[in-house]
Amino acid sequence: MERIKELIQINRSYRRFDNSKKLDMGFLEDLIYSARMSQSAANLQPLRYITVTDEEKAEQVFSTLGWAGYLKEWDGPDPDEQPVAYIVVLSTKDSSYAQVDAGLAMQNMCLTAIAAGVGSCILGNIKKERLAQILELEDDLTILYVIALGYPVENVQVISIREAPDHKYFRDEKGNHYVPKRCIDDLLIKEL
């Protein structure tokens, strides 16, 4: 149990990567395998995926994404720190539980990635119509999220929300990224 707790602790939303270290398709297929093994409401399995490793396509995907809403002065990673791969998470249009399934599947993928030293960031701020055009997406699928992937080059630390001004993540003058988290005694309201 300690290993899974360690992976959960270091599995952060990384937003800066070593763009010179590429990921191969076999690795991304391993992540999709982890996604397919996740639970699915009524076992409907509505999720589908598109992987992107081609540099030109990756640049196009990058152009459709919004990065770090709380860091107003930051437009996203510089070219040498952009993700090297993406997994676009899609759903068939007939699923009412796709968001739940997506959360389960993405957590499996992100934990599998960090176990190999690969960082991830789940992005929901997407220009979906533009991305659908780039991907030449069929009409029967809906874009839910994009997972950005690469070897992280930033220091992301979890701190107690009691040490922070509020719940918003922030960076210090050295570029260290801090993520305030509520304490267990703030979350657990009753033990019966």
Side-chain angles (χ1 to χ4, degrees):
M1 189 157 82
E2 290 308 310
R3 177 64 177 149
I4 192 70
K5 287 167 75 175
E6 176 190 346
L7 291 173
I8 290 168
Q9 174 103 13
I10 62 174
N11 181 39
R12 302 288 91 211
S13 292
Y14 294 98
R15 294 176 175 86
R16 295 183 299 150
F17 307 93
D18 182 344
N19 192 263
S20 70
K21 293 182 178 178
K22 305 302 180 192
L23 297 172
D24 65 34
M25 194 55 67
F27 180 77
L28 297 182
E29 288 174 1
D30 286 344
L31 299 183
I32 302 300
Y33 176 85
S34 293
R36 75 177 271 272
M37 298 315 303
S38 63
Q39 302 96 318
S40 176
N43 203 33
L44 293 175
Q45 304 173 64
L47 302 180
R48 303 294 183 271
Y49 307 94
I50 295 175
T51 58
V52 179
T53 57
D54 175 79
E55 287 186 40
E56 184 178 319
K57 278 289 188 206
E59 285 180 30
Q60 292 175 357
V61 171
F62 178 83
S63 73
T64 69
L65 304 173
W67 291 84
Y70 291 144
L71 304 177
K72 301 293 183 202
E73 71 288 347
W74 190 63
D75 293 329
D78 294 330
D80 63 335
E81 293 183 338
Q82 290 179 6
V84 296
Y86 297 94
I87 296 177
V88 182
V89 181
L90 310 155
S91 174
T92 56
K93 294 196 177 193
D94 60 350
S95 176
S96 57
Y97 294 105
Q99 293 289 345
V100 173
D101 281 14
L104 294 164
M106 290 186 301
Q107 184 71 354
N108 278 9
M109 286 190 279
C110 293
L111 286 171
T112 301
I114 200 64
V118 174
S120 60
C121 186
I122 299 170
L123 297 152
N125 185 357
I126 306 163
K127 296 174 187 166
K128 292 183 180 180
E129 286 183 28
R130 177 68 188 124
L131 183 55
Q133 292 171 347
I134 291 166
L135 301 174
E136 301 175 15
L137 198 60
E138 301 292 328
D139 287 340
D140 62 334
L141 294 171
T142 301
I143 296 169
L144 299 177
Y145 299 97
V146 174
I147 303 173
L149 297 155
Y151 290 93
V153 294
E154 66 181 332
N155 179 22
V156 179
Q157 296 179 28
V158 173
I159 61 170
S160 167
I161 199 164
R162 294 173 186 165
E163 300 172 43
D166 56 32
H167 68 281
K168 297 175 183 175
Y169 52 80
F170 62 94
R171 290 195 178 142
D172 65 17
E173 63 282 347
K174 295 178 183 174
N176 295 311
H177 191 92
Y178 297 92
V179 182
K181 291 290 185 182
R182 297 187 194 284
C183 299
I184 291 175
D185 59 346
D186 294 331
L187 301 174
L188 182 60
I189 59 170
K190 192 180 288 186
E191 290 181 343
L192 302 174

